[in-house]
Structure formats: structure tokens, C-alpha cells
Amino acid sequence: MFDRLKEDINSVFHRDPAARNTFEVLTNYPGLHALLFHRLAHRIWLKDFKWLARSISTFSRWLTGIEIHPGATIGRRFFIDHGMGVVIGETTVIGDDVTLYQGVTLGGTSWNKGKRHPTIGDGVVVGAGAKILGPFEVGEGAKVGSNSVVTKAVPAGATVVGIPGRVIVKSPESDGRRKEMEERMGFDAYGVTEEMPDPVARAMRSLLDHMHAVDERIEKMCTAIRKVNQDYVDNGKLPPLDAEEFDCVRDDSSETAENR
Ligand SMILES: CC(C)(COP(=O)(O)OP(=O)(O)OC[C@H]1O[C@@H](n2cnc3c(N)ncnc32)[C@H](O)[C@@H]1OP(=O)(O)O)[C@@H](O)C(=O)NCCC(=O)NCCS
């Protein structure tokens, strides 16, 4: 039992640089208190003293602001940072080394009995305010962005952000091409979106990606047509995007900014 407690305390040190010493962790971390109460409540739940188990869970919620149903199965080295507003449903299964931040809901979307809450794989990190809703799996090592709403399975190692949650696929090739276009257009999405996600910047990025995908597809189709029909003539290459025109856009916008 003490080994387990030591492990829980160490997991706080590993995941919160603000933790200074064991006494501080034992007395000031509601995530740890909620976990200890849950262990007790879960044992009692399995022995079929359901009301008592629920009451311990409710008492724990009063103290910590964290609601963990006693039926939930939780692995080792689980850590809830800050804690307030976390809700973990009855049929949730959580693996080892999982981290949740405040305001996370591991919930269901149906009132049917049976499995209706998510299964969270080992090493998953769920950002503040994220909601994971439904009886699907969040694969090992996945990251869920703060305030995301995830309603579908997440592959192992993936990062999911947004509402509804989408896997961010980082392709080095498309990133390079995007950056080139954005630089030409004086459209510094990196400067904007790294600090502050901008919906217009995102829309422009999607349009650029889409435009390149369509170009590539047309090029492939032309090549295929040329193979079957030697007489096929396309009217040369598409007109290139003129970098100078984009410079004008940049000049105009900087001029306007200077005049302000
Ligand atoms: C999801 C997360 C793990 C991604 O981290 P990362 O792998 O370092 O990814 P990046 O920061 O490079 O972001 C990648 C992209 O996702 C976007 N993004 C990141 N987090 C996002 C979120 N929560 N919602 C929407 N978009 C998000 C970024 O803007 C960036 O977009 P871009 O490629 O268009 O520029 C991280 O942003 C996160 O939310 N962590 C949770 C932290 C938390 O809750 N802390 C609470 C402390 S109290």
C-alpha cells in the first residue's frame, strides 16, 4: 500500500514542476486525494456495497471538486492536475501513467446501461477542459488538446484538437510547401497561430492545401489522358502564382498599418 502511495507521489513530482516536497504533495494536491478516495470506493463497489461506494465518491467530490464514479477502473500512476471540474464516468477504463487536467469529462452519450464511457490508453494526456464522450478507445500515448470535444476513437500516439476533435497530421512535405506559400503572401500564419489560433489563418491554410491537392490531381489526370490519347493537347502549364502580386498585398497591408 505504501509502495503504491510512494508511486503516486512520485508521479506528481514527474508531472508537475511546481511540486516541491512530499508533505506539500500529500496535503495540497486534490488529484491525489481524489485518487486515494477512489481506490477505497472502487474496492467497496466491487464488494457490492454500492451505496457506501457512491457516498465515498460524493464526499471526495465535496472535498476535491473531482467526481470519479466508483465503478471506473483506473491504472497506476494516474495524475489529475488542479482537478476542479473533472468527471469520470462509471464504465471508464484508464490505463497506466495517464494525466488529466482540470475540467476534463470522460463521459457517455447514451443512457443505455453497459459500456458507455471511453477507454483511455497508457500514457495519454488530456488537456484542460477536454471532453471525451462515448465508449471508444483513446490509443496509447495520445494527446487531447485543451477544450477539445472528442467523439471518435483516437489512434495511438495521435494528437487531437478542436471541436469536434480532429487528429493533427503533421506532414513535413506539406508544412514546407505551406510555409513557402505563406511567406510569399506575406501571410505569417506561424507568427499568428502559434500564439493565438486564428480562424481566418486556418481557413487560408486549408484553401492552400486544397488548391495544391487539386493541382496535383489534375496533373496526374492529364498524364493519364496523354497515355491513352496521344492527340490530347493541354494548353500548357497553369499560370504561375506571381510572387510580386503577393508582395503588393503585403506592402498595402503594412502601409495601412503604418497609417493607423
Ligand atoms: C494538444 C497539445 C498537446 C498539442 O501540443 P503540441 O504537440 O506541442 O502541438 P503544437 O502546440 O505544436 O500545436 C499544433 C497545432 O495545433 C493547434 N492546437 C494546439 N492545441 C490546440 C487546442 N487545444 N485547440 C485547438 N488547436 C490547438 C496549434 O495552434 C497548432 O496549430 P497550427 O499547426 O495550425 O499552428 C497542447 O496544445 C495542449 O492542448 N496541451 C494541454 C495542456 C493543458 O491543458 N494544460 C493545462 C495546464 S493547467
Side-chain angles (χ1 to χ4, degrees), residues 129-133 144-152 160-166:
K131 317 289 171 221
I132 305 180
L133 307 172
V144 178
S146 50
N147 287 329
S148 307
V149 178
V150 181
T151 53
K152 287 184 190 141
V160 180
V161 299
I163 303 174
R166 302 253 183 249

Side-chain angles (χ1 to χ4, degrees), residues 82 101-102 127-128 143 145-146 159 161-162 168 170 193 197 202 205:
H82 308 294
Y101 288 95
Q102 70 275 15
K143 289 180 190 165
S146 50
T159 298
V161 299
I168 313 174
K170 288 188 175 171
T193 53
R202 280 172 191 283
R205 284 188 152 197

